[in-house]
Amino acid sequence: MKIKRSERLIDITHYLLEHPHTLVSLTFFSKRYESAKSSISEDLTIVKKTFIERGIGILETVPGAAGGARYIPKMKEEDIKGIIQELCDELNHSERLLPGGYVYLSDMLGQPDWLRKIGRVIASFYMDKKIDAVMTVATKGVPIAQAVATYLNVPFVIVRRDSKVTEGSTVSINYVSGSSSQRVEKMELSRRSLKRGSRVLIVDDFLKGGGTVNGMKSLIEEFDAELVGATVIAENIYQGVRSIDNYTALLKVKSVDVESRTIQVVPGNFVASL
Amino acid sequence: MKIKRSERLIDITHYLLEHPHTLVSLTFFSKRYESAKSSISEDLTIVKKTFIERGIGILETVPGAAGGARYIPKMKEEDIKGIIQELCDELNHSERLLPGGYVYLSDMLGQPDWLRKIGRVIASFYMDKKIDAVMTVATKGVPIAQAVATYLNVPFVIVRRDSKVTEGSTVSINYVSGSSSQRVEKMELSRRSLKRGSRVLIVDDFLKGGGTVNGMKSLIEEFDAELVGATVIAENIYQGVRSIDNYTALLKVKSVDVESRTIQVVPGNFVASL
């Protein structure tokens, strides 16, 4: 049965969105719709134009009969800035202030719509880098890692402070917790979960002293893997010297006053790096 | 600027896919494309037909000028069965066997493609139920909860065995661990994370004795919330009497032989419930 252009455009859009960063061949689409490659090429030109105009992303097209298309979920800079501003507005509420000056974020990290936005923003930033895996530490980092990994279409791995029998054998390291107490803690990663030589992106919710990110860095070294970058949702206020300097943060907690119950969150150094 | 039908179809498809279970009005699309509602209605008819034919899902259309469309990511029964068979094939490998007869699953729960499939399958199953939140227990359940919640477009909440200062005040319960040792353990949930009266779907990776699911049930009662259902990826072999009976499992671990290193995974009771 011959498929009309309108139906092809809808199905091509769905297929590409579910397979980001993947080269899909003209041959594949041509068979799927029993249509000539020349027709598919025309379809892809329309999809490409619309994806850019609507801020959906970039469609890289590889020309020729052996060619195809690859969807890169890159956002427009203005859309990224818009989302970061939305995040600030959402966090700038006194009810989010917790005892000890912490900021409550868990509800947002359980909302698919926020996670889609956060995932797209961070994945856009790293779209040109070769990344093999996203790494985070349990528990609050997991939704962020999953969201970013979904848009980059790579696996994500979860570092744990306590590992379970269901993880198989693990590699563990000790690290100095960044908090003032300078405690030595342990983190571990299932041996099967990361291939040697992988290029790894670290993501997490908050950055305070940087101890956790530093621990993950050591683990990456243990696996003979390579660190590509580290991005967190928010960097917290920290009086001491951070044990890492090479990171980006979408947001920065500028001030927290527990007495007057006020909190001020502003865009982080991520925006300047765009 | 007037937008052509072909471009509208692509953008409508993207928009609906990113907003499942949400009624999007004709007025919204009409303004977005500066097009007549009658044209948008025709667009939606084409999208609806293609979504069904391609197994993308159902587009519920609400007629009239005040109407609109709602995308429900329901899969065809044959596609669901296909995915469950794929999962069996993937797990039926002796390398997945861990000491103690456990099955290694963590790699799959870190792969966006598997998570999309698992999320769509479980969300399809509950598409007709009113669900306000998906609940799971840290850590391995989190990716499953996120995947299901994304397709249901509702928040997910994470029950923890150890809570952090960044969770704010919590409600905790004690439960009997389903394992043979009958240990009493504790689990807790941030008070802010679940509204009273919420209708909750529980998901998790493995079910053994059922203790963890039972613990989550008690927590749901503590929040004056209501349990809608419980679905796990796989039910493990269990000799004793399970403390819960009302659950569905995509897969069933039928036999595990540590000596000969063989493992047999078959479709679970989920398939019969379709």
Side-chain angles (χ1 to χ4, degrees):
Chain A
M1 192 186 74
K2 203 149 161 48
I3 312 279
K4 281 192 206 160
R5 162 146 297 154
S6 55
E7 298 177 26
R8 287 202 309 263
L9 291 175
I10 293 165
D11 190 62
I12 288 175
T13 300
H14 174 251
Y15 192 89
L16 291 170
L17 291 174
E18 289 231 317
H19 298 83
H21 287 274
T22 308
L23 183 65
V24 188
S25 70
L26 280 183
T27 311
F28 172 83
F29 283 131
S30 166
K31 281 190 185 151
R32 188 172 172 100
Y33 310 123
E34 299 175 27
S35 306
K37 286 187 182 175
S38 55
S39 308
I40 304 291
S41 271
E42 288 165 27
D43 295 345
L44 291 173
T45 305
I46 301 170
V47 173
K48 183 175 188 160
K49 182 169 169 280
T50 309
F51 273 23
I52 287 183
E53 280 173 7
R54 292 285 160 183
I56 298 171
I58 292 172
L59 197 65
E60 290 178 357
T61 41
V62 179
R70 185 189 283 115
Y71 164 55
I72 314 284
K74 181 182 171 63
M75 297 177 79
K76 294 182 190 167
E77 202 177 306
E78 63 198 78
D79 291 343
I80 293 179
K81 287 181 178 163
I83 287 177
I84 289 179
Q85 192 53 53
E86 269 183 71
L87 281 165
C88 287
D89 296 344
E90 179 68 34
L91 290 184
N92 271 325
H93 282 115
S94 57
E95 312 91 66
R96 293 204 170 269
L97 208 52
L98 296 173
Y102 290 95
V103 182
Y104 185 70
L105 193 67
S106 299
D107 58 334
M108 294 172 74
L109 297 183
Q111 283 175 28
D113 205 43
W114 277 119
L115 289 168
R116 266 190 214 103
K117 288 175 180 173
I118 290 168
R120 283 191 71 191
V121 163
I122 299 178
S124 283
F125 188 75
Y126 290 100
M127 62 158 276
D128 292 326
K129 310 264 193 217
K130 190 184 165 315
I131 289 169
D132 300 308
V134 177
M135 175 183 278
T136 195
V137 69
T139 301
K140 295 230 302 302
V142 180
I144 304 165
Q146 181 165 349
V148 174
T150 298
Y151 283 104
L152 288 175
N153 211 22
V154 298
F156 60 97
V157 298
I158 304 172
V159 174
R160 305 179 60 140
R161 293 198 171 87
D162 60 321
S163 86
K164 299 273 184 145
V165 285
T166 49
E167 294 294 304
S169 61
T170 62
V171 174
S172 80
I173 58 108
N174 296 313
Y175 69 102
V176 178
S177 164
S179 56
S180 50
S181 58
Q182 294 278 317
R183 262 175 312 166
V184 174
E185 303 196 42
K186 192 173 102 163
M187 54 167 71
E188 47 193 326
L189 180 62
S190 166
R191 190 179 280 284
R192 304 179 183 215
S193 65
L194 190 64
K195 286 203 191 83
R196 293 200 173 274
S198 295
R199 293 174 50 87
V200 181
L201 166 63
I202 290 176
V203 298
D204 206 355
D205 57 343
F206 277 111
L207 180 82
K208 213 165 177 187
T212 315
V213 172
N214 247 340
M216 286 192 267
K217 268 179 159 174
S218 306
L219 260 180
I220 289 171
E221 284 165 19
E222 284 294 326
F223 277 83
D224 288 332
E226 199 180 328
L227 177 66
V228 179
T231 294
V232 297
I233 304 285
E235 60 175 308
N236 246 322
I237 296 167
Y238 186 65
Q239 308 294 353
V241 179
R242 282 219 167 85
S243 52
I244 61 157
D245 48 6
N246 197 1
Y247 64 88
T248 52
L250 305 193
L251 309 173
K252 182 179 180 137
V253 181
K254 207 176 166 193
S255 69
V256 160
D257 188 333
V258 182
E259 262 180 52
S260 64
R261 292 191 64 79
T262 53
I263 172 171
Q264 198 189 358
V265 180
V266 298
N269 66 353
F270 185 88
V271 175
S273 324
L274 287 174
Chain B
M1 191 187 74
K2 205 149 160 49
I3 312 279
K4 280 192 205 159
R5 162 146 299 154
S6 55
E7 299 178 24
R8 286 201 309 261
L9 291 175
I10 293 165
D11 190 62
I12 288 175
T13 300
H14 175 251
Y15 192 88
L16 291 171
L17 292 174
E18 289 231 318
H19 298 83
H21 287 274
T22 308
L23 183 66
V24 188
S25 70
L26 281 183
T27 311
F28 172 83
F29 283 131
S30 167
K31 279 190 186 153
R32 188 172 171 101
Y33 310 124
E34 298 174 27
S35 305
K37 286 186 182 175
S38 55
S39 309
I40 303 291
S41 272
E42 288 166 28
D43 295 345
L44 292 174
T45 305
I46 302 170
V47 173
K48 182 175 189 161
K49 182 168 168 281
T50 309
F51 273 23
I52 286 182
E53 279 172 7
R54 293 284 159 183
I56 298 170
I58 293 172
L59 197 66
E60 290 178 355
T61 42
V62 179
R70 183 189 284 116
Y71 164 55
I72 314 285
K74 181 180 172 63
M75 298 178 78
K76 294 181 191 168
E77 202 177 307
E78 64 198 77
D79 290 344
I80 293 179
K81 286 180 178 164
I83 288 176
I84 289 179
Q85 192 53 54
E86 268 183 72
L87 282 165
C88 287
D89 297 344
E90 178 69 34
L91 291 183
N92 272 325
H93 282 115
S94 57
E95 313 91 66
R96 292 203 170 269
L97 208 53
L98 296 174
Y102 290 95
V103 182
Y104 185 70
L105 193 68
S106 300
D107 58 334
M108 294 172 73
L109 297 182
Q111 284 176 27
D113 207 41
W114 277 119
L115 289 168
R116 265 189 214 105
K117 288 175 181 174
I118 291 168
R120 280 191 73 191
V121 163
I122 300 178
S124 282
F125 188 75
Y126 290 101
M127 62 159 275
D128 292 327
K129 311 264 193 215
K130 190 185 165 312
I131 289 170
D132 300 308
V134 177
M135 175 183 278
T136 196
V137 68
T139 300
K140 296 229 301 301
V142 179
I144 305 165
Q146 182 165 348
V148 174
T150 299
Y151 282 104
L152 289 176
N153 211 21
V154 298
F156 61 97
V157 298
I158 305 172
V159 174
R160 304 180 63 142
R161 294 200 172 85
D162 60 320
S163 87
K164 299 275 185 143
V165 285
T166 48
E167 294 295 305
S169 60
T170 62
V171 174
S172 82
I173 58 110
N174 295 313
Y175 70 102
V176 178
S177 164
S179 58
S180 51
S181 58
Q182 295 277 317
R183 262 175 313 167
V184 175
E185 303 196 43
K186 192 172 103 163
M187 55 168 71
E188 47 193 326
L189 181 62
S190 165
R191 190 178 281 286
R192 303 179 184 215
S193 64
L194 189 64
K195 287 202 190 82
R196 294 200 172 272
S198 295
R199 291 174 51 87
V200 181
L201 166 64
I202 291 176
V203 299
D204 206 354
D205 57 344
F206 278 111
L207 179 82
K208 214 166 177 187
T212 315
V213 172
N214 247 340
M216 285 192 268
K217 268 179 157 174
S218 306
L219 260 181
I220 288 172
E221 284 165 20
E222 283 294 325
F223 278 84
D224 288 332
E226 198 181 329
L227 177 67
V228 179
T231 295
V232 297
I233 303 287
E235 60 175 307
N236 245 324
I237 297 167
Y238 186 64
Q239 308 295 354
V241 180
R242 283 218 167 84
S243 52
I244 60 156
D245 48 6
N246 197 1
Y247 64 89
T248 51
L250 304 193
L251 310 173
K252 181 178 178 139
V253 181
K254 206 175 166 193
S255 69
V256 160
D257 188 333
V258 181
E259 262 180 52
S260 65
R261 291 192 65 79
T262 53
I263 172 173
Q264 198 190 357
V265 180
V266 297
N269 66 354
F270 185 88
V271 175
S273 325
L274 287 174

